[in-house]
Amino acid sequence: MAAIDLNLVRVFVTLYDARSVTLAAERLHVTQPSVSYALSRLRDLFGDRLFVRSRDGMQPTFTAMQLYPALRDSLAQIDSVLESSKEFEPRHSQKRFRLALTDLGEMALLPRILAHLHAQAPGIELEVVPLEIDKVEDWLATGQVNAAICSRPINAAGVERRVLLSDERYVCLLNRDHASIGKSLSLEQFIQARHAVVAASTGHGLAEDVLREQGLQRKVSLKVSHFSSLPRILQESDLLAILPEQIASAFALEAPLKVLDLPFEVPPFDVALHWQAHTTRSPAQRWFCDGIVEAITRA
C-alpha cells in the first residue's frame, strides 16, 4: 500500500467522528469537495469503500472500524507532539477551546471559569459542549473536546482527573408550600409523591442507582433534558426533584422552593475535570486545564 499522508488520516478520523462530509468539512475548515476528494484517495489506498451513505449519515464499513482506533490514536499522538513545540502566549492568543459541561455546570461553574480565563487571555474563545456522559470518553480520545467536567468518573486509559468540588451530596427540591410535605421528607412520602427527573446523559445518576439497588420505585411524572427548567416547574406543581445540594440551594434562594434531605443514604460525590493525559504536552492545553482548576478550587 502506498504511503498515507497526515492530511488523509485527519480527514478519515474527522469523517468517522462526524459521519457527515458537510460536518467534517466544517471541522477541518475546508470545502466539501476537498473532503470528498480525500475520501476517494483513502478508498484507493485501502481498497475499500470505508464509508457508505445511509439515512443516518456516512456509516463506516468493517474495514473503517478496524482502522479507526489505530489512526485516531496515532493522529492524537502526532498532534500532541506538534502542539508541544508551539509557544502559547495567553494574552495574545485567539485559540478556541472546547469544554464539555452539563447545564448545572454552566450555571454553577462557567461564570467563574470564563472570568478567570478571560482575565489572562481576553482573545480566546470558549465553546461549551452539552455533556453526554456515554460519549465523553470518545470526545476526549478524539480531541473533540479539550476537557470535560462531570461527577461520574471517566476510567478510560490515559484520562487524567482533578477534583474541583469534593463531597457534594444530593438533596430533594420541591415547592416551598407543598400540600403534603412539610419540613422533612419520609421515605413513604418520597415514594408516594410525583417526581421530575433529568436525563441520565448528564451523568447525574448516582441517586437513581441507589434507588434501583434498594428496589425503591417512585412515580415519575416528568422527564426533562436540563436542570435549568426545574425551578419554574417545581414552584408551579407538587413535583419533587433530586439535585446536587449546591445548585438546589441556589434555586431555593431565587424561587419559592425548599431543600430537604433525602430519606435514604446516597454516597457523596466529587465533581472533577477530565482530560487526555498526552494532551498536556501542549502549553495551551496545560494552561487551559490549570486555569479551570484555579478558577474553581481557589475561588
Side-chain angles (χ1 to χ4, degrees):
M1 185 181 72
I4 180 172
D5 69 50
L6 185 60
N7 288 330
L8 291 182
V9 174
R10 197 175 302 282
V11 169
F12 174 85
V13 171
T14 305
L15 185 54
Y16 192 102
D17 292 334
R19 305 297 170 95
S20 162
V21 171
T22 302
L23 289 178
E26 290 177 359
R27 293 180 184 180
L28 292 167
H29 304 290
V30 299
T31 64
Q32 292 183 41
S34 296
V35 173
S36 296
Y37 175 71
L39 177 57
S40 178
R41 290 183 60 192
L42 286 163
R43 284 168 167 165
D44 289 341
L45 283 169
F46 291 108
D48 187 86
R49 295 180 69 187
L50 297 178
F51 298 94
V52 180
R53 292 187 184 278
S54 74
R55 295 173 60 184
D56 298 320
M58 300 291 284
Q59 296 303 309
T61 64
F62 180 71
T63 297
M65 288 188 281
Q66 289 183 307
L67 290 169
Y68 175 73
L71 292 181
R72 176 198 66 191
D73 294 346
S74 297
L75 182 62
Q77 292 289 342
I78 291 170
D79 284 343
S80 177
V81 171
L82 293 175
E83 280 289 325
S84 68
S85 65
K86 295 180 180 178
E87 293 185 2
F88 179 71
E89 298 183 10
R91 181 62 57 182
H92 305 292
S93 177
Q94 302 290 319
K95 187 175 178 62
R96 179 170 70 172
F97 297 91
R98 303 183 86 217
L99 175 66
L101 198 59
T102 65
D103 66 322
L104 278 187
E106 289 186 29
M107 290 183 284
L109 306 179
L110 185 57
R112 282 184 278 173
I113 292 171
L114 192 61
H116 185 84
L117 296 182
H118 276 174
Q120 300 178 36
I124 66 157
E125 178 185 345
L126 178 59
E127 180 182 354
V128 175
V129 179
L131 179 73
E132 295 184 51
I133 197 64
D134 59 336
K135 295 181 180 180
V136 70
E137 181 181 324
D138 286 338
W139 289 352
L140 291 170
T142 59
Q144 292 186 60
V145 297
N146 295 91
I149 296 176
C150 57
S151 58
R152 287 288 181 103
I154 301 173
N155 298 316
V159 174
E160 293 284 341
R161 178 176 184 267
R162 283 285 300 275
V163 173
L164 302 177
L165 300 171
S166 60
D167 293 329
E168 269 278 78
R169 70 185 192 112
Y170 286 105
V171 295
C172 186
L173 186 67
L174 64 158
N175 190 312
R176 185 186 298 162
D177 300 316
H178 195 283
S180 60
I181 299 174
K183 296 182 179 180
S184 63
L185 178 63
S186 70
L187 184 57
E188 182 180 2
Q189 288 174 319
F190 180 87
I191 297 298
Q192 291 180 350
R194 300 189 306 144
H195 293 257
V197 300
V198 180
S201 61
T202 62
H204 284 279
L206 181 58
E208 310 298 329
D209 294 342
V210 172
L211 285 170
R212 281 193 295 271
E213 290 170 3
Q214 296 186 10
L216 299 174
Q217 294 186 345
R218 56 182 172 150
K219 171 60 177 176
V220 175
S221 297
L222 175 68
K223 290 185 178 181
V224 295
S225 300
H226 305 287
F227 285 94
S228 55
S229 63
L230 288 176
R232 183 69 179 271
I233 291 169
L234 297 179
Q235 73 184 62
E236 297 182 3
S237 72
D238 63 352
L239 298 177
L240 277 59
I242 297 176
L243 288 86
E245 183 177 27
Q246 183 179 107
I247 197 70
S249 297
F251 284 160
L253 288 175
E254 299 175 358
L257 302 170
K258 59 186 174 185
V259 177
L260 299 178
D261 289 337
L262 291 170
F264 53 90
E265 289 293 324
V266 179
F269 62 94
D270 297 332
V271 176
L273 176 71
H274 301 79
W275 69 92
Q276 205 70 31
H278 68 78
T279 62
T280 51
R281 295 174 185 169
S282 160
Q285 175 75 358
R286 283 199 304 274
W287 173 85
F288 181 62
C289 292
D290 289 346
I292 292 174
V293 173
E294 290 173 4
I296 303 305
T297 61
R298 300 181 186 179

